[in-house]
Amino acid sequence: MTIDRAELFRLAWAMARQDLWSLRLPASRLRGLFHAALKRAWATVKCQAAYRAQRLAVFTTGRLADEIRADILTLECKGRLRGPDWQRLDALRAELFGR
């Protein structure tokens, strides 16, 4: 997951300018606003990147990683695993980690 720094700072500056305008503060307060805006921009960009990665995983496999993990947990919590259960567990792990 690569985050574009230029995009991050563009978003942070836009947020800081918007806050500066909406709060009607003097330009000297921009530094403090930029600090808070950079934190918000980082969280936004990070969530967007994670969402894109998850959507790509769904597109390539057709299933969410959480669904695969739930299936693995269901199999691991069974009292006794038989041959087909082990094969299914191996296939699910390969699907999850082979991305």
Side-chain angles (χ1 to χ4, degrees):
M1 177 172 77
T2 305
I3 294 177
D4 184 18
R5 290 184 195 169
E7 177 189 351
L8 175 70
F9 276 85
R10 258 186 259 123
L11 182 61
W13 275 115
M15 287 178 173
R17 285 189 197 108
Q18 179 64 33
D19 289 347
L20 185 69
W21 182 84
S22 66
L23 296 174
R24 310 262 197 275
L25 296 174
S28 62
R29 297 283 313 266
L30 187 60
R31 177 177 276 213
L33 288 175
F34 181 71
H35 175 74
L38 187 59
K39 282 184 164 184
R40 287 195 326 257
W42 173 257
T44 301
V45 170
K46 189 174 169 186
C47 288
Q48 287 174 351
Y51 177 75
R52 277 188 231 123
Q54 185 180 34
R55 294 303 301 161
L56 179 63
V58 169
F59 178 72
T60 56
T61 64
R63 296 179 59 186
L64 290 172
D66 293 337
E67 293 174 2
I68 298 170
R69 285 189 190 101
D71 289 346
I72 290 173
L73 185 63
T74 301
L75 279 173
E76 287 177 342
C77 291
K78 284 180 77 173
R80 171 177 273 160
L81 293 176
R82 306 214 187 284
D85 294 333
W86 284 107
Q87 292 171 353
R88 175 81 177 131
L89 187 59
D90 289 340
L92 286 170
R93 286 179 179 160
E95 185 181 352
L96 180 65
F97 298 117
R99 294 178 182 205

